[in-house]
Amino acid sequence: MLSQFLVKHYVKDYNNVENEQVRNNYGFLGSLVGIISNTILFITKLVVGMITSSISVTADAFNNLSDATSSLITMLGFKLASKPADKEHPFGHGRIEYISGLIVSFMVILVGFEFVKSSYSRITNPVQINFQLIPFILILLSIGVKVWLSSFNKYVGKRINSSALQASSFDALSDVITSSCVALSLILSKWTSFPVDGYIGIVVSLFIMYSGFSLIKDTLDPILGEVPDEELVQKIISGVLSYKYITGVHDLVIHNYGPGRFMATIHAEVPDSMSIVQIHEIIDRAEKELSSKLNIILVIHMDPINTNDEEVNFAKTELEKIMENYSMIKSFHDFRIVGEGENKNLIFDIVIDYSQALTEEFQNTIQEQLNKDIKKIHPNYNSIITIDREFI
């Protein structure tokens, strides 16, 4: 494949995608190919549009120009995002890549909006389209270029997990549809005086605007704080649980500071009978080894759990049975019994599914209902319940 050929010949150590410099080289190559391809397409379609007097072809040409500009901004985004951390930005500048994608998105929408107006003007003031074979063939060739460019951006974007390049892949695929509409308008102009060109120009422009809005969503999600990648979540959880004496985990939170730049915190349950020094050594080793292995910053908080007390284990088993009646409760953790004598407190956290709104009324109701269910079994137990959400 041409995509693989370009990567192998222009990205040194191309298999080491976790390396920041390699990732930047991928981004530079993807952006450079986008700039060159879209610039050539812009010039070609602009000439075709002038020869045929077609507004839809001209609109498609400037769409390619905006794509070339988008690739340039993406290139600058990769360059700025690779700047090392400093005093003002201790987690680096990785989010600049998302911001550059957002700028590109607004540019795409602006181009689409401008050509909606131009196409409407062509409908109200029709102009005769001059169909010519060679310009038509050039449009067909441009469609082939966009099909390949979409495939190339998708390949590179997946290799380095770049939302900007994957968005460019989607944008190029949208261009295939718009250019196909343009080709159709040129053919139809041979047999009708109806202003097909103007109507298809509007269709092309609306596709451009749709692409822009889709790109905005894709670039806003990581800035706002989207759900982390499931594969990374599972690697962190399984990694922490692989260490001796860690019996459970919860409260995993992952912060995204740009592609490949993550900070994660997690609570690890450990036996309360172990010495603090011994378990701290295990937790410290887990943090260092997993941070290096997964290329993240990992902080582990240890939660001491009583695993040898019969009363605690029995009460926990009974609580698990009660929880089966509450479909909105995903799990519970930090379970412990506090107090002396008959009257004791059961203290634990429950995790509520996102389908359930955490209103004050709901929280009060579920806490009261759980307390009643527990008292049916143990009248002298009082429940102190904290309600949590999952961040994964």
Side-chain angles (χ1 to χ4, degrees):
M1 290 176 59
L2 180 56
S3 300
Q4 295 175 342
F5 173 82
L6 290 173
V7 166
K8 288 180 180 179
H9 283 77
Y10 293 100
V11 178
K12 187 178 179 180
D13 195 19
Y14 62 91
N15 281 323
N16 188 18
V17 293
E18 299 297 328
N19 181 276
E20 186 174 342
Q21 184 58 50
V22 173
R23 188 178 186 280
N24 290 336
N25 290 340
Y26 266 98
F28 182 84
L29 175 63
S31 301
L32 183 61
V33 169
I35 292 170
I36 294 172
S37 301
N38 284 299
T39 300
I40 293 173
L41 290 176
F42 163 68
I43 295 171
T44 302
K45 290 180 182 178
L46 183 62
V47 172
V48 171
M50 294 172 64
I51 292 173
T52 60
S53 301
S54 171
I55 187 66
S56 61
V57 175
T58 305
D60 204 22
F62 278 91
N63 180 36
N64 291 142
L65 179 61
S66 74
D67 291 341
T69 307
S70 299
S71 295
L72 178 60
I73 293 174
T74 300
M75 181 184 288
L76 292 174
F78 270 99
K79 181 66 176 177
L80 293 174
S82 66
K83 290 177 58 180
D86 53 34
K87 184 177 180 181
E88 290 77 20
H89 309 93
F91 291 98
H93 300 76
R95 285 179 178 168
I96 290 179
E97 187 175 328
Y98 301 142
I99 296 173
S100 68
L102 198 59
I103 295 172
V104 168
S105 305
F106 284 114
M107 289 180 58
V108 170
I109 292 174
L110 180 61
V111 169
F113 178 73
E114 288 299 321
F115 276 101
V116 165
K117 295 191 297 182
S118 300
S119 299
Y120 178 75
S121 176
R122 180 58 61 92
I123 292 173
T124 55
N125 301 286
V127 174
Q128 180 64 40
I129 303 301
N130 303 314
F131 177 84
Q132 296 183 34
L133 183 60
I134 293 179
F136 178 71
I137 292 174
L138 290 175
I139 293 296
L140 294 182
L141 290 175
S142 75
I143 293 173
V145 172
K146 276 294 185 178
V147 169
W148 175 79
L149 192 58
S150 174
S151 173
F152 175 75
N153 283 330
K154 184 177 182 180
Y155 172 74
V156 175
K158 280 190 172 182
R159 289 280 293 176
I160 62 172
N161 190 28
S162 168
S163 59
L165 288 175
Q166 291 188 48
S168 295
S169 170
F170 174 78
D171 186 38
L173 195 59
S174 298
D175 290 344
V176 171
I177 298 173
T178 57
S179 295
S180 298
C181 291
V182 169
L184 179 63
S185 73
L186 288 176
I187 293 176
L188 293 177
S189 67
K190 290 181 63 177
W191 298 289
T192 180
S193 59
F194 183 77
V196 176
D197 181 55
Y199 285 102
I200 290 185
I202 286 181
V203 172
V204 171
S205 302
L206 291 177
F207 264 116
I208 294 171
M209 293 177 70
Y210 172 76
S211 298
F213 282 114
S214 298
L215 292 174
I216 285 177
K217 181 183 182 303
D218 291 339
T219 52
L220 269 182
D221 281 348
I223 294 175
L224 293 175
E226 64 183 347
V227 175
D229 178 62
E230 180 64 26
E231 183 179 356
L232 177 61
V233 169
Q234 292 305 320
K235 284 181 178 179
I236 294 173
I237 291 175
S238 61
V240 175
L241 288 174
S242 68
Y243 286 83
K244 192 176 181 180
Y245 300 116
I246 297 179
T247 58
V249 294
H250 56 268
D251 288 348
L252 171 60
V253 179
I254 300 176
H255 300 280
N256 182 343
Y257 290 96
R261 295 173 173 84
F262 299 99
M263 177 181 179
T265 59
I266 192 170
H267 289 214
E269 297 174 357
V270 296
D272 64 355
S273 57
M274 293 185 64
S275 74
I276 295 295
V277 173
Q278 184 181 7
I279 196 60
H280 180 269
E281 183 180 344
I282 294 171
I283 294 294
D284 193 48
R285 180 161 53 88
E287 285 179 339
K288 292 178 181 178
E289 291 177 353
L290 290 175
S291 292
S292 176
K293 180 181 178 181
L294 301 178
N295 193 30
I296 62 175
I297 299 173
L298 179 63
V299 177
I300 303 175
H301 169 82
M302 61 180 182
D303 281 334
I305 301 296
N306 189 335
T307 57
N308 297 318
D309 189 290
E310 290 186 9
E311 180 183 10
V312 172
N313 292 335
F314 182 69
K316 186 176 181 180
T317 301
E318 290 180 318
L319 182 59
E320 287 173 348
K321 293 178 181 178
I322 292 173
M323 292 291 187
E324 292 176 357
N325 299 318
Y326 294 83
S327 60
M328 75 290 294
I329 298 178
K330 298 186 67 176
S331 62
F332 70 96
H333 54 84
D334 283 343
F335 180 83
R336 55 199 183 277
I337 298 177
V338 177
E340 300 292 337
E342 294 185 355
N343 295 310
K344 297 180 180 180
N345 292 327
L346 297 186
I347 303 175
F348 57 92
D349 297 0
I350 59 174
V351 179
I352 302 297
D353 189 270
Y354 265 98
S355 60
Q356 175 64 55
L358 283 186
T359 62
E360 185 176 351
E361 180 183 3
F362 166 77
Q363 294 187 60
N364 291 335
T365 299
I366 198 169
Q367 287 170 334
E368 291 172 4
Q369 188 60 51
L370 278 172
N371 200 31
K372 288 179 182 179
D373 290 345
I374 292 170
K375 280 187 174 292
K376 289 177 184 178
I377 303 174
H378 297 286
N380 295 326
Y381 283 175
N382 292 309
S383 301
I384 301 175
I385 305 168
T386 300
I387 297 178
D388 280 347
R389 285 282 203 202
E390 275 193 326
F391 298 99
I392 55 177

